[in-house]
Amino acid sequence: MVRLQSVIPNRAFIRYDWCMTSGALPKSSAAPTIALALGAGGARGLAHVAVLEALDDLGLAPVEIAGTSMGAILGAAYAAGMSGRDIRAHLLGLLRDRADVMQKLLRARVGRFTDLFSGANPVLIDGEVFLDLFWPAIVPDRFEQLKIPFTAIATDYVGRCEAAMNSGPLAPAVAGSMAIPGLIKPVQANGRILVDGGAVNPLPFRGLVSRADVVIAVDVTGGPVAERAGPPAPFEAMFGTAQIMQHAITAEMLKVSQPDILLVPLVNGFRVLDFFKAAQILSAASPMRDEIKRRIDVILEARHAAS
């Protein structure tokens, strides 16, 4: 079974503690329009794939998608026309070859080992080069070429505010959305300096409210993984603190407004950079496939009863 926590009437907040199986949508029911918000969370964001697969199973293409950080990377690929199954296959195939991944990361690196002596970061990654190396070839150059309207959420570093981008060059916007400080270099685009969108909007559902019959948001922020007693290592502390911040921001956002369906997969046991655990993350997220079908089924039945 799945525990449902009702916070506001007619809003379903779903936290996955157990697995359940449900039937498909009634064939006679009219399909609702769906808007999809995919949140930030590093490797935990691979859980978004299960949601995309569920929508494919139902034959429901979102009318709009918004994504932050990892949610932007996967959201753009889905908006380009890839199926959830194709994205899963691409990820698992890519991450199966560690040597190839490491070679690509070295090609995307803008830092140099000599930077250790100048105080700079020797492992800094160029996000646009990273996307060029890791994104599927189907992802186009511009937002306007996507099959589904898509918005990437980044942070305007100088303006200290959210930067929501849905037109123009795609790669700089998504690279800015994923520009985790200390790991991926900031992006200069449209006269702005862009950094990680998780700093201002880790779960970008607010701009989708009223844009579709059903707004689905997937929260993969969670918290840091405590692997041992005592203080965390410096690198762990940096990412763990960011996760705490993003989780706190999301909690405050949900006090103001809520999506129709909030999905929180049980992926807290995975770290931000656990990408080589993709198969385990996808397995942990698998209960969402049936639950999304069940929740949309409930919404359709309610609409049918009201008509």
Side-chain angles (χ1 to χ4, degrees), residues 156-216:
D156 183 329
Y157 181 78
V158 176
R160 296 178 290 180
C161 62
E162 178 180 315
M165 295 158 286
N166 54 23
S167 64
L170 181 63
V174 175
S177 180
M178 60 181 266
I180 301 172
L183 182 63
I184 300 171
K185 77 170 188 176
V187 174
Q188 294 190 42
N190 299 323
R192 295 184 290 189
I193 298 176
L194 305 175
V195 296
D196 185 14
V200 290
N201 191 356
L203 189 62
F205 67 90
R206 291 178 300 185
L208 300 176
V209 174
S210 79
R211 303 290 287 272
D213 295 329
V214 180
V215 176
I216 300 173

Coordinates of all heavy atoms in Angstrom, one line a residue, residues 156-216:
D156 N 19.7 33.4 -11.3 CA 20.4 34.6 -11.7 C 21.3 35.0 -10.6 O 20.9 35.5 -9.6 CB 19.5 35.7 -12.1 CG 20.1 36.9 -12.7 OD1 21.3 37.2 -12.3 OD2 19.5 37.6 -13.5
Y157 N 22.6 34.7 -10.7 CA 23.6 34.9 -9.6 C 23.7 36.4 -9.2 O 23.7 36.7 -8.0 CB 25.0 34.4 -10.0 CG 26.0 34.6 -9.0 CD1 26.1 33.7 -7.9 CD2 27.0 35.6 -9.0 CE1 27.0 33.8 -6.9 CE2 27.9 35.7 -8.0 CZ 28.0 34.8 -7.0 OH 28.9 34.9 -6.0
V158 N 23.8 37.3 -10.2 CA 23.9 38.7 -9.9 C 22.5 39.3 -9.4 O 22.5 40.1 -8.5 CB 24.4 39.5 -11.1 CG1 24.4 41.0 -10.8 CG2 25.8 39.0 -11.5
G159 N 21.5 38.9 -10.1 CA 20.1 39.4 -9.7 C 19.6 38.8 -8.5 O 18.6 39.2 -7.9
R160 N 20.2 37.6 -8.1 CA 19.8 36.9 -6.8 C 18.3 36.5 -6.9 O 17.5 36.7 -6.0 CB 20.0 37.8 -5.6 CG 21.5 38.0 -5.3 CD 21.7 38.9 -4.1 NE 21.3 40.2 -4.3 CZ 21.4 41.2 -3.4 NH1 21.8 40.9 -2.2 NH2 21.0 42.4 -3.7
C161 N 17.9 36.0 -8.1 CA 16.5 35.6 -8.3 C 16.4 34.4 -9.3 O 17.4 34.0 -9.9 CB 15.7 36.8 -8.8 SG 16.3 37.4 -10.4
E162 N 15.2 33.9 -9.4 CA 15.0 32.8 -10.4 C 15.1 33.3 -11.8 O 14.7 34.4 -12.2 CB 13.6 32.2 -10.1 CG 13.2 31.1 -11.1 CD 11.8 30.6 -10.8 OE1 11.5 30.4 -9.6 OE2 11.1 30.4 -11.7
A163 N 15.7 32.4 -12.6 CA 15.8 32.7 -14.1 C 15.1 31.5 -14.8 O 15.6 30.4 -14.8 CB 17.2 32.8 -14.6
A164 N 13.9 31.8 -15.3 CA 13.1 30.8 -16.0 C 13.2 31.0 -17.5 O 12.9 32.0 -18.0 CB 11.6 30.8 -15.6
M165 N 13.7 30.0 -18.2 CA 14.1 30.1 -19.6 C 13.3 29.1 -20.4 O 13.3 27.9 -20.1 CB 15.6 30.0 -19.8 CG 16.4 31.0 -19.1 SD 18.1 30.5 -18.8 CE 17.8 29.4 -17.4
N166 N 12.6 29.6 -21.5 CA 11.8 28.7 -22.3 C 11.9 29.1 -23.8 O 11.1 28.7 -24.6 CB 10.4 28.7 -21.9 CG 9.8 30.1 -21.8 OD1 10.2 31.0 -22.5 ND2 8.7 30.2 -21.0
S167 N 13.0 29.9 -24.2 CA 13.2 30.2 -25.6 C 14.7 30.4 -25.8 O 15.4 30.7 -24.9 CB 12.4 31.5 -26.0 OG 12.8 32.6 -25.3
G168 N 15.1 30.3 -27.1 CA 16.5 30.6 -27.4 C 17.3 29.3 -27.3 O 16.8 28.2 -27.3
P169 N 18.6 29.4 -27.2 CA 19.5 28.3 -27.1 C 19.2 27.4 -25.9 O 19.1 27.9 -24.8 CB 20.9 28.9 -27.0 CG 20.8 30.2 -27.7 CD 19.4 30.7 -27.3
L170 N 19.1 26.1 -26.1 CA 18.7 25.2 -25.0 C 19.9 24.8 -24.1 O 19.7 24.8 -22.8 CB 18.1 23.9 -25.6 CG 17.6 22.8 -24.7 CD1 16.5 23.4 -23.8 CD2 17.2 21.6 -25.5
A171 N 21.0 24.5 -24.6 CA 22.1 24.0 -23.8 C 22.6 25.0 -22.8 O 22.8 24.6 -21.6 CB 23.3 23.5 -24.7
P172 N 22.8 26.2 -23.1 CA 23.2 27.2 -22.0 C 22.2 27.3 -20.9 O 22.6 27.4 -19.7 CB 23.4 28.5 -22.8 CG 23.5 28.1 -24.2 CD 22.7 26.9 -24.4
A173 N 20.9 27.2 -21.2 CA 19.9 27.3 -20.2 C 20.0 26.1 -19.2 O 20.0 26.3 -18.0 CB 18.5 27.4 -20.8
V174 N 20.1 24.9 -19.8 CA 20.1 23.7 -19.0 C 21.5 23.6 -18.2 O 21.5 23.2 -17.1 CB 19.9 22.5 -19.8 CG1 20.0 21.2 -19.0 CG2 18.5 22.5 -20.4
A175 N 22.6 24.0 -18.9 CA 23.9 24.0 -18.2 C 23.8 25.0 -17.0 O 24.4 24.7 -16.0 CB 25.0 24.4 -19.2
G176 N 23.2 26.1 -17.2 CA 23.0 27.0 -16.1 C 22.2 26.5 -15.0 O 22.5 26.6 -13.8
S177 N 21.1 25.8 -15.3 CA 20.2 25.1 -14.3 C 21.0 24.1 -13.5 O 20.7 23.9 -12.3 CB 19.1 24.5 -15.0 OG 18.2 23.9 -14.1
M178 N 22.0 23.4 -14.1 CA 22.7 22.3 -13.4 C 24.0 22.8 -12.8 O 24.8 22.0 -12.3 CB 22.9 21.2 -14.4 CG 23.7 21.6 -15.6 SD 24.0 20.2 -16.7 CE 25.6 19.6 -16.2
A179 N 24.3 24.1 -12.9 CA 25.7 24.6 -12.5 C 25.9 24.6 -11.0 O 25.8 25.7 -10.4 CB 25.9 26.0 -13.1
I180 N 26.1 23.5 -10.4 CA 26.3 23.3 -9.0 C 27.6 24.0 -8.6 O 28.6 23.7 -9.2 CB 26.4 21.8 -8.6 CG1 25.1 21.1 -8.9 CG2 26.6 21.7 -7.1 CD1 25.1 19.6 -8.7
P181 N 27.5 25.0 -7.7 CA 28.8 25.7 -7.3 C 29.9 24.7 -6.9 O 29.6 23.8 -6.1 CB 28.3 26.6 -6.2 CG 26.9 26.8 -6.5 CD 26.4 25.5 -7.0
G182 N 31.1 24.9 -7.4 CA 32.2 24.1 -7.0 C 32.4 22.9 -7.8 O 33.4 22.2 -7.8
L183 N 31.4 22.6 -8.7 CA 31.4 21.4 -9.5 C 31.3 21.7 -11.0 O 32.1 21.2 -11.9 CB 30.4 20.4 -9.1 CG 30.4 19.1 -9.9 CD1 31.7 18.3 -9.7 CD2 29.2 18.2 -9.5
I184 N 30.3 22.6 -11.3 CA 30.1 23.0 -12.7 C 30.2 24.5 -12.8 O 29.6 25.2 -12.0 CB 28.7 22.5 -13.2 CG1 28.7 21.0 -13.1 CG2 28.4 23.0 -14.6 CD1 27.3 20.4 -13.3
K185 N 30.9 25.0 -13.8 CA 31.1 26.5 -13.8 C 29.8 27.2 -14.2 O 29.0 26.7 -14.9 CB 32.2 26.8 -14.8 CG 31.8 26.7 -16.3 CD 32.9 27.3 -17.2 CE 32.4 27.5 -18.6 NZ 33.4 28.1 -19.5
P186 N 29.7 28.4 -13.6 CA 28.5 29.3 -14.0 C 28.5 29.5 -15.5 O 29.5 29.4 -16.2 CB 28.8 30.6 -13.2 CG 29.7 30.2 -12.1 CD 30.6 29.1 -12.7
V187 N 27.3 29.8 -16.0 CA 27.1 30.0 -17.4 C 26.7 31.5 -17.6 O 25.8 32.0 -16.9 CB 26.0 29.1 -17.9 CG1 25.6 29.4 -19.4 CG2 26.4 27.6 -17.8
Q188 N 27.3 32.1 -18.6 CA 26.9 33.4 -19.0 C 25.9 33.3 -20.2 O 26.3 32.8 -21.3 CB 28.1 34.3 -19.4 CG 29.0 34.6 -18.2 CD 30.1 35.6 -18.5 OE1 29.8 36.6 -19.1 NE2 31.3 35.3 -18.0
A189 N 24.7 33.8 -20.1 CA 23.7 33.7 -21.1 C 22.7 34.8 -21.0 O 22.2 35.1 -19.9 CB 23.0 32.3 -21.1
N190 N 22.4 35.5 -22.1 CA 21.4 36.6 -22.2 C 21.8 37.7 -21.2 O 20.9 38.2 -20.5 CB 20.0 36.0 -21.9 CG 19.6 35.0 -23.0 OD1 19.9 35.2 -24.2 ND2 18.9 34.0 -22.6
G191 N 23.0 38.0 -21.0 CA 23.5 39.0 -20.1 C 23.4 38.7 -18.6 O 23.5 39.6 -17.8
R192 N 23.2 37.4 -18.3 CA 23.1 37.0 -16.9 C 24.1 35.9 -16.6 O 24.6 35.2 -17.5 CB 21.7 36.4 -16.6 CG 20.6 37.5 -16.7 CD 19.2 36.9 -16.3 NE 18.7 35.9 -17.3 CZ 17.5 35.4 -17.2 NH1 16.7 35.8 -16.3 NH2 17.1 34.6 -18.2
I193 N 24.5 35.8 -15.4 CA 25.3 34.7 -14.9 C 24.4 33.7 -14.2 O 23.8 34.0 -13.2 CB 26.4 35.2 -14.0 CG1 27.4 36.2 -14.7 CG2 27.2 34.0 -13.4 CD1 28.4 36.8 -13.8
L194 N 24.4 32.5 -14.7 CA 23.5 31.5 -14.2 C 24.2 30.4 -13.4 O 25.3 29.9 -13.8 CB 22.8 30.8 -15.4 CG 22.0 31.7 -16.4 CD1 21.5 30.8 -17.6 CD2 20.9 32.5 -15.7
V195 N 23.6 30.1 -12.3 CA 24.1 29.0 -11.4 C 22.9 28.1 -11.1 O 21.7 28.3 -11.5 CB 24.8 29.5 -10.1 CG1 26.0 30.3 -10.5 CG2 23.8 30.3 -9.3
D196 N 23.2 27.0 -10.4 CA 22.2 26.0 -10.0 C 20.8 26.5 -9.7 O 20.7 27.3 -8.7 CB 22.8 25.2 -8.9 CG 21.9 24.0 -8.5 OD1 21.0 23.6 -9.3 OD2 22.2 23.4 -7.4
G197 N 19.8 26.1 -10.4 CA 18.4 26.5 -10.1 C 17.9 26.0 -8.8 O 16.9 26.6 -8.2
G198 N 18.5 25.0 -8.2 CA 18.1 24.5 -6.9 C 18.3 25.5 -5.8 O 17.7 25.4 -4.7
A199 N 19.1 26.5 -6.0 CA 19.3 27.6 -5.0 C 18.0 28.4 -4.8 O 17.9 29.1 -3.7 CB 20.5 28.5 -5.4
V200 N 17.1 28.5 -5.8 CA 15.9 29.3 -5.7 C 14.7 28.5 -5.9 O 13.6 28.9 -5.3 CB 16.0 30.5 -6.6 CG1 17.0 31.5 -6.3 CG2 16.2 30.0 -8.1
N201 N 14.7 27.5 -6.7 CA 13.4 26.8 -7.0 C 13.7 25.3 -7.3 O 13.8 24.9 -8.5 CB 12.7 27.4 -8.2 CG 11.3 26.9 -8.4 OD1 10.9 26.0 -7.7 ND2 10.6 27.5 -9.3
P202 N 13.9 24.5 -6.3 CA 14.3 23.1 -6.5 C 13.2 22.2 -7.1 O 13.4 21.2 -7.6 CB 14.7 22.6 -5.1 CG 14.8 23.8 -4.2 CD 13.9 24.8 -4.8
L203 N 11.9 22.7 -6.9 CA 10.7 21.9 -7.4 C 9.8 22.9 -8.2 O 8.9 23.5 -7.6 CB 10.0 21.3 -6.2 CG 8.9 20.3 -6.6 CD1 9.4 19.1 -7.3 CD2 8.2 19.9 -5.3
P204 N 10.0 23.1 -9.5 CA 9.4 24.2 -10.3 C 8.0 23.9 -10.7 O 7.7 24.0 -11.9 CB 10.4 24.3 -11.4 CG 10.8 22.9 -11.7 CD 11.0 22.2 -10.3
F205 N 7.1 23.7 -9.8 CA 5.7 23.5 -10.2 C 4.9 24.8 -10.2 O 3.8 24.8 -10.8 CB 5.1 22.5 -9.2 CG 4.9 23.0 -7.8 CD1 3.7 23.7 -7.4 CD2 5.9 22.8 -6.8 CE1 3.6 24.1 -6.1 CE2 5.7 23.3 -5.6 CZ 4.6 24.0 -5.2
R206 N 5.3 25.8 -9.5 CA 4.4 27.0 -9.3 C 4.1 27.6 -10.7 O 2.9 28.1 -10.8 CB 5.2 28.0 -8.4 CG 5.3 27.6 -7.0 CD 6.0 28.6 -6.2 NE 7.4 28.9 -6.7 CZ 8.3 29.6 -6.1 NH1 8.0 30.3 -5.0 NH2 9.5 29.8 -6.6
G207 N 5.0 27.7 -11.6 CA 4.7 28.3 -12.9 C 3.7 27.4 -13.7 O 3.3 27.9 -14.8
L208 N 3.5 26.2 -13.3 CA 2.6 25.3 -14.1 C 1.2 25.3 -13.6 O 0.3 24.7 -14.2 CB 3.2 23.9 -14.0 CG 4.6 23.7 -14.6 CD1 5.0 22.2 -14.4 CD2 4.6 24.0 -16.1
V209 N 1.0 25.8 -12.4 CA -0.4 25.8 -11.8 C -1.3 26.5 -12.7 O -1.1 27.6 -13.1 CB -0.4 26.4 -10.4 CG1 -1.8 26.5 -9.8 CG2 0.5 25.5 -9.4
S210 N -2.5 25.9 -13.0 CA -3.5 26.4 -13.8 C -3.2 26.3 -15.3 O -4.0 26.7 -16.2 CB -3.9 27.9 -13.5 OG -2.9 28.8 -14.1
R211 N -2.0 25.7 -15.6 CA -1.7 25.5 -17.1 C -2.2 24.2 -17.6 O -2.0 23.9 -18.8 CB -0.1 25.6 -17.2 CG 0.4 26.9 -16.7 CD 0.1 28.1 -17.5 NE 0.8 28.1 -18.8 CZ 2.0 28.6 -19.0 NH1 2.6 29.3 -18.0 NH2 2.6 28.6 -20.2
A212 N -2.7 23.3 -16.7 CA -3.1 22.0 -17.1 C -4.2 21.5 -16.1 O -4.3 22.1 -15.0 CB -2.0 21.0 -17.3
D213 N -4.9 20.4 -16.5 CA -5.9 19.9 -15.6 C -5.2 19.3 -14.3 O -5.7 19.4 -13.2 CB -6.7 18.7 -16.2 CG -7.5 19.2 -17.4 OD1 -8.0 20.4 -17.3 OD2 -7.7 18.5 -18.3
V214 N -4.0 18.7 -14.5 CA -3.3 18.1 -13.4 C -1.8 18.5 -13.4 O -1.2 18.3 -14.5 CB -3.4 16.5 -13.5 CG1 -2.7 15.9 -12.3 CG2 -4.9 16.1 -13.5
V215 N -1.3 19.0 -12.3 CA 0.1 19.3 -12.2 C 0.7 18.2 -11.4 O 0.4 18.0 -10.2 CB 0.3 20.7 -11.6 CG1 1.8 21.0 -11.4 CG2 -0.3 21.8 -12.5
I216 N 1.7 17.6 -11.9 CA 2.5 16.5 -11.2 C 3.9 17.1 -10.9 O 4.5 17.6 -11.8 CB 2.6 15.2 -12.0 CG1 1.2 14.7 -12.3 CG2 3.4 14.2 -11.3 CD1 1.2 13.5 -13.3

